[in-house]
Amino acid sequence: MLVALEKIFLNYHTFIFGSFINCNDGSFILLPELNYNAADNLEVILGSVVPCGKKGSEFNGTWEVNGEKIEVLKPSIYVQAKLSF
């Protein structure tokens, strides 16, 4: 399930908070994001990905396959710029 909330403030900023939720095991991923419209054709984005879940859940970040642990998701922060023309 995907849940998302969006709030626009000061005409140039948008705060978006989203989450992917696994209803079967209770794990989830938090996806907060702050967008800034610097110009008519330039958008700057600061966001984060935060996996949350107990050991063995889908979104805890690590899966075990054939006895080997595979790190699939890591908490991260990103900056992105979009230029439209």
Side-chain angles (χ1 to χ4, degrees):
M1 174 180 6
L2 171 67
V3 177
L5 302 170
E6 180 177 310
K7 174 68 177 163
I8 299 170
F9 56 98
L10 300 176
N11 294 330
Y12 299 105
H13 298 81
T14 304
F15 179 71
I16 302 169
F17 184 82
S19 180
F20 283 113
I21 303 169
N22 183 332
C23 296
N24 292 327
D25 64 15
S27 60
F28 55 94
I29 298 175
L30 300 176
L31 304 161
E33 188 174 275
L34 180 62
N35 297 4
Y36 171 61
N37 291 324
D40 288 339
N41 61 346
L42 178 62
E43 182 179 9
V44 180
I45 301 165
L46 173 64
S48 175
V49 176
V50 183
C52 302
K54 61 184 178 185
K55 187 175 180 179
S57 63
E58 183 177 9
F59 291 142
N60 80 331
T62 305
W63 290 354
E64 192 168 322
V65 178
N66 296 329
E68 297 289 326
K69 289 186 179 181
I70 301 171
E71 195 165 330
V72 182
L73 299 169
K74 284 183 167 181
S76 59
I77 297 173
Y78 60 89
V79 176
Q80 182 179 18
K82 290 183 182 180
L83 180 62
S84 304
F85 52 93

